[in-house]
Amino acid sequence: MTESAFIHRFEPATRAGSPPLLLLHGTGGDENDLLGLGKMISPGSALLSPRGRVLEHGMPRFFRRLAEGVFDEKDVRRRAHELGDFVSEARQRYGIAAPVAVGFSNGANIAAALLLLEPDVLAGAILLRAMVPLSDPPTADLAGKPILLLSGQGDPIVPAGNSARLATLLSQAGASVTHRVLPAGHQLSQADVTLARDWIGNLEAKAA
């Protein structure tokens, strides 16, 4: 692996036909954080789970921010391309197809940036409590790419208008976006798990 490599965990698939998942943790998480979630929403999928390379007060993240909800957009772009390189290398190393990203909070934001900056890297995405990652995003071609965006009605970090704007941005790029606003805050709920599992199941059924 090259210098773009991330500390990561990889668990091979145990069931044919299940899409590989790219698990992207929130602030302060690591490569172990979302393995359990991945297994719950898509049992049998290959799991690729990197640790963010940016530290904020000792807590791993996938890109720098200037304040709560204010992103260092130059760093967002740089880190998204680094992550794209890592996914490409990991696909060759582990022999997996383009993954579906499952990102929470900061991880969901870098997944959204990756969709906009390198549309071919991901087969789709589950974005949990995501925000618009770039104020001036490039024109991306996400034709038909499936995206599930799950927002929290009482989320103190992500304003409702921001997540709605992200859904519109991705839809305008051609993605097939399902946006659900749940009676939850920023933390994940059982409803997130259920909706994500059903959505992945539908993807598998269509692929079959």
Side-chain angles (χ1 to χ4, degrees), residues 151-162:
S151 306
Q153 192 172 24
D155 192 331
I157 296 174
V158 183
N162 191 294

Side-chain angles (χ1 to χ4, degrees), residues 86-173:
F86 165 73
V87 172
S88 298
E89 292 160 7
R91 285 188 58 190
Q92 289 189 329
R93 178 177 178 180
Y94 297 120
I96 58 174
V100 172
V102 179
F104 168 62
S105 192
N106 177 247
N109 297 335
I110 196 68
L114 193 55
L115 285 165
L116 294 167
L117 293 165
E118 296 200 27
D120 295 335
V121 170
L122 299 174
I126 298 173
L127 305 176
L128 305 164
R129 312 298 186 267
M131 297 177 68
V132 175
L134 297 166
S135 57
D136 184 24
T139 301
D141 180 7
L142 297 174
K145 205 173 288 283
I147 297 170
L148 175 64
L149 177 59
L150 298 179
S151 306
Q153 192 172 24
D155 192 331
I157 296 174
V158 183
N162 191 294
S163 52
R165 197 159 79 248
L166 177 60
T168 300
L169 178 66
L170 295 169
S171 295
Q172 288 174 341

Side-chain angles (χ1 to χ4, degrees), residues 11-102:
E11 298 199 1
T14 58
R15 189 159 63 94
S18 299
L21 303 183
L22 173 68
L23 304 173
L24 301 168
H25 63 76
T27 300
D30 63 22
E31 65 277 15
N32 301 303
D33 250 36
L34 297 185
L35 292 174
L37 177 66
K39 290 171 184 175
M40 280 192 282
I41 66 176
S42 188
S45 280
L47 303 176
L48 178 64
S49 185
R51 182 194 301 179
R53 292 168 50 139
V54 174
L55 288 180
E56 182 182 272
H57 307 301
M59 297 184 296
R61 284 173 53 83
F62 286 98
F63 59 83
R64 290 182 61 233
R65 60 182 168 183
L66 307 176
E68 187 77 73
V70 183
F71 303 154
D72 179 339
E73 296 197 13
K74 184 177 179 182
D75 197 57
V76 171
R77 291 172 183 270
R78 175 188 162 202
R79 302 296 179 174
H81 289 306
E82 280 184 358
L83 184 61
D85 289 346
F86 165 73
V87 172
S88 298
E89 292 160 7
R91 285 188 58 190
Q92 289 189 329
R93 178 177 178 180
Y94 297 120
I96 58 174
V100 172
V102 179

Side-chain angles (χ1 to χ4, degrees), residues 129 150-155 180-185 189 191-193 195:
R129 312 298 186 267
L150 298 179
S151 306
Q153 192 172 24
D155 192 331
R180 297 285 298 273
V181 181
L182 307 179
S189 67
D192 289 285
V193 176
L195 288 166

